[in-house]
Amino acid sequence: MTPTITAFERSPDRGRGLARDMRVRWALEEVGQPYEVRLVSFQAMKEPAHLALHPFGQIPTYEEGDLVLFESGAIVFHIAESHAGLLPDDAHARARAVMWMFAALDTVEPPIFDRTLVMILERKEPWYEQRLHALEGSIRKRLGSLSTRLGDAEWLDGAFSAGDLLMVTVLRRLHGSGMLDEFPNLSAYVARGEARAAFKRAYAAQRAVFTAASTG
Ligand SMILES: N[C@@H](CCC(=O)N[C@@H](CS)C(=O)NCC(=O)O)C(=O)O
């Protein structure tokens, strides 16, 4: 059965592939699963039909027959569990790949996403510079630890996994901040993720939505 995901009708990131449908598209492309996309407006996300799928009124959602999921991490995990290619067969290696999925979303993403929010919502506040500085300190701390752990390895734990997929999507939000460049092995890691054919297909698909919305 072809799953349907939801994505922004008009993404605030202007097609940079930072919205969380990107990670779901990428996972689907990695495992070769065709999918459909239903685009939703900000208004439609808060209406009953969408709230029935996503209690917090957000994207992405995932529908496959009578299965409905929200939370990008849970969706990527479901895709990875249902298809070969994103989680290793060995039980311990699989557990570690799942650990990296949690690390990406629970340990690395929060300060990075908070920085984006602060830059959008608090720029005029008197505490803006101080808060930004503190968040960037937290981000650098996480990047430093991640960089040390990654070392010269290609991926976080052996072969590319759903853990790498989520980590790369999280780190991409730092493009343009200069912070990734302070850790050359992390920059190279993100570039390796972005060079994957499946990433490129997912990126092009979400980019086409932005292009169509801008020209239509
Ligand atoms: N933890 C959720 C976060 C979902 C989320 O924040 N989605 C954003 C797009 S990336 C959204 O829908 N924002 C609009 C809103 O919250 O109204 C996930 O990973 O799926």
Side-chain angles (χ1 to χ4, degrees), residues 114-126:
D114 283 355
R115 174 179 176 272
T116 301
L117 283 186
V118 163
M119 289 174 72
I120 296 170
L121 302 175
E122 299 180 19
R123 203 173 271 277
K124 297 211 170 103
E125 301 295 347

Side-chain angles (χ1 to χ4, degrees), residues 8 11-12 18-21 23-24 42 45-46 50 54 56-61 70-75 105 109 113 173:
F8 283 133
S11 181
L18 299 178
R20 287 171 175 93
D21 59 293
R23 50 186 68 161
V24 175
F42 272 87
M45 282 193 298
K46 310 302 175 196
H50 188 76
H54 195 312
F56 307 115
Q58 297 180 312
I59 59 99
T61 58
F70 61 93
E71 281 300 329
S72 58
I75 298 170
L105 302 186
E109 183 164 56
F113 191 68
R173 194 173 280 282

Side-chain angles (χ1 to χ4, degrees), residues 33-200:
Q33 170 64 57
Y35 61 100
E36 286 171 7
V37 182
R38 191 169 60 252
L39 301 176
V40 288
S41 65
F42 272 87
Q43 189 187 329
M45 282 193 298
K46 310 302 175 196
E47 286 172 359
H50 188 76
L51 289 172
L53 306 176
H54 195 312
F56 307 115
Q58 297 180 312
I59 59 99
T61 58
Y62 176 97
E63 294 156 73
E64 182 192 354
D66 56 9
L67 174 67
V68 178
L69 295 174
F70 61 93
E71 281 300 329
S72 58
I75 298 170
V76 169
F77 183 56
H78 170 69
I79 295 165
E81 280 220 305
S82 331
H83 302 79
L86 284 174
L87 286 175
D89 291 334
D90 173 76
H92 284 191
R94 196 176 181 93
R96 289 194 304 272
V98 172
M99 169 188 78
W100 279 114
M101 294 177 71
F102 277 89
L105 302 186
D106 204 36
T107 303
V108 181
E109 183 164 56
I112 294 178
F113 191 68
D114 283 355
R115 174 179 176 272
T116 301
L117 283 186
V118 163
M119 289 174 72
I120 296 170
L121 302 175
E122 299 180 19
R123 203 173 271 277
K124 297 211 170 103
E125 301 295 347
W127 59 77
Y128 174 68
E129 292 297 342
Q130 202 180 351
R131 174 116 171 87
L132 192 65
H133 184 72
L135 278 170
E136 292 188 344
S138 305
I139 293 169
R140 283 192 173 88
K141 201 168 151 200
R142 294 292 185 234
L143 295 182
S145 306
L146 189 63
S147 168
T148 301
R149 173 55 78 99
L150 181 67
D152 294 333
E154 194 176 6
W155 304 114
L156 288 166
D157 192 311
F160 177 82
S161 77
D164 294 296
L165 186 149
L166 290 180
M167 192 65 84
V168 168
T169 61
V170 164
L171 296 177
R172 287 189 70 246
R173 194 173 280 282
L174 292 173
H175 276 324
S177 72
M179 277 185 280
L180 263 186
D181 307 326
E182 295 168 25
F183 301 90
N185 65 337
L186 293 185
S187 283
Y189 170 69
V190 171
R192 273 195 295 282
E194 292 174 334
R196 293 177 73 85
F199 176 94
K200 289 184 183 167

